[in-house]
Amino acid sequence: AATNSTHCCLVCSVSIRETHLGINACRACALFFKRTRRTQRAYTCRRGTGKCVFRKHEPFSCKKCRFERCLTIGMDNTKEDKDESMLDRIKEEYDHANIGIDRVFRLSIKRRIDAEMRLAEIHNLPRCDSPQDFYYTTASFYYDTYPITIKELIVFLSSIIPEFEEFEEDVKFSILKNLIGKFYALGAYFRTSRMYLKTGKCCSTPIAGFDIGKNDQWIIESESLGENKLLRSTLASHATDFLDLMYKMLRTDDITEREFHALIAISFCEMDSTLHLPEKIQSHFESTKNAVLAELQRYYRERLRLADYSSRLGNLMSLSAAISEIHVISEKNSRLYSTLFDLPCEDQMIRDALTKVC
């Protein structure tokens, strides 16, 4: 809930502009409390006194005292977590809206929009006539959104998979590297599918994109790309590959919001076999995927009243495969750009984000 002025989190003392779980607490502390409750973790006080003072970003902070502080100030998520499913968690974190329709954006998509709006001003992006608050993207803007998206992906994963926070750093890095392209592609597909027929726009980020018939539009900015014809050609090729897959996805049957939430989970849980994740973590993703599929089938039977939903499941699997293809293309091109053209290195941006968020 939004507040009228700036307050401080009663747990870690950072400034906040909105409450969480009904009290003056920052999003990070609320998520920490929810993860601890969900996983039933039992922490030990680092100093053995039970009187540690928690401050955000301090090294070696005491989780035991942080959790006890949450309890002391009355933090409670029992109502929120009652009968909460994985798809409900995803909906809560990845709430979205049709571009151009006034709604209160929440959580993941709202945070990205707020951050990108500030970035759009810095880049002086040209605004579209329709839809409202939508901009024509540029190559430099697109790459400057990477840190925003990586940071949000970390928060998103920590919210829907409580165990993520406890994974080893190298495991977190591998998972994020396997998901960042999918995270971009999922958002681009959903927003594009909702506005394509009305506006002819293809979304590349929550607030920016290009006319779907002009795939080179986003690289026409001489001040940032200079006269590097090879870079321009490579970026144009990347956009063409992206649009080919986006057209393929747009030709599939429309999906409901509930199916989109399931698509997020399915895409995230299908890890690249080359990652060699620890068996316990791989098993966790597999069990999460199975739980989501079971929940999705109940949705088809009970909410949509479908006796045969094989075509709808097949549609989602096709979309998931296309999402994975976009991720592979993006990862390959990211390596190429950082090697040949001195553009930001995706690996380093992921590691920087892990240091700041986790």
Side-chain angles (χ1 to χ4, degrees), residues 27-28 30-32 34-36 38-39 77 80-81 84-86 88-94 107-108 111 151-165:
R27 174 172 49 86
L31 289 176
F32 164 78
K34 290 166 68 175
R35 286 194 294 268
T36 303
R38 282 175 181 157
T39 57
N77 70 319
E80 183 176 308
D81 280 352
E84 184 185 44
S85 68
M86 175 59 74
D88 287 331
R89 272 191 232 168
I90 292 173
K91 175 179 172 58
E92 178 67 14
E93 273 302 308
Y94 199 99
L107 302 173
S108 181
R111 292 190 294 264
K151 176 183 176 181
E152 195 51 51
L153 176 57
I154 294 171
V155 174
F156 181 73
L157 280 173
S158 300
S159 300
I160 64 171
I161 304 175
E163 296 82 359
F164 181 78
E165 189 182 56

Side-chain angles (χ1 to χ4, degrees), residues 89-152:
R89 272 191 232 168
I90 292 173
K91 175 179 172 58
E92 178 67 14
E93 273 302 308
Y94 199 99
D95 201 5
H96 47 261
N98 296 338
I99 300 297
I101 298 177
D102 291 332
R103 269 183 67 182
V104 178
F105 291 96
R106 293 180 296 160
L107 302 173
S108 181
I109 200 69
K110 181 182 184 300
R111 292 190 294 264
R112 289 176 66 187
I113 287 173
D114 289 345
E116 288 191 15
M117 289 294 282
R118 293 190 291 271
L119 196 60
E121 291 184 9
I122 295 172
H123 283 263
N124 196 27
L125 291 188
R127 190 186 293 265
C128 298
D129 293 331
S130 176
Q132 195 175 18
D133 293 329
F134 192 74
Y135 298 83
Y136 286 115
T137 191
T138 61
S140 57
F141 171 81
Y142 177 78
Y143 283 101
D144 279 354
T145 65
Y146 251 76
I148 297 170
T149 307
I150 294 170
K151 176 183 176 181
E152 195 51 51

Side-chain angles (χ1 to χ4, degrees), residues 146 153 176-186 323 326-328 330-331 346:
Y146 251 76
L153 176 57
L176 289 169
K177 189 169 175 61
N178 186 70
L179 295 183
I180 183 62
K182 294 180 181 180
F183 199 52
Y184 263 111
L186 282 160
I323 291 292
I326 291 177
H327 164 73
V328 170
S330 298
E331 186 178 36
E346 181 180 275

Side-chain angles (χ1 to χ4, degrees), residues 308-321:
D308 181 4
Y309 41 80
S310 57
S311 62
R312 297 192 76 113
L313 279 175
N315 189 46
L316 284 185
M317 295 303 108
S318 296
L319 289 171
S320 180

Side-chain angles (χ1 to χ4, degrees), residues 130-131 195-202 211-212:
S130 176
M195 66 188 296
Y196 166 58
L197 292 178
K198 292 181 179 179
T199 68
K201 300 289 191 299
C202 178
D211 292 325
I212 208 160

Side-chain angles (χ1 to χ4, degrees), residues 28-47:
C29 287
L31 289 176
F32 164 78
F33 178 75
K34 290 166 68 175
R35 286 194 294 268
T36 303
R37 290 284 290 266
R38 282 175 181 157
T39 57
Q40 298 184 329
R41 291 293 302 271
Y43 301 116
T44 301
C45 178
R46 296 185 63 88
R47 296 179 180 175

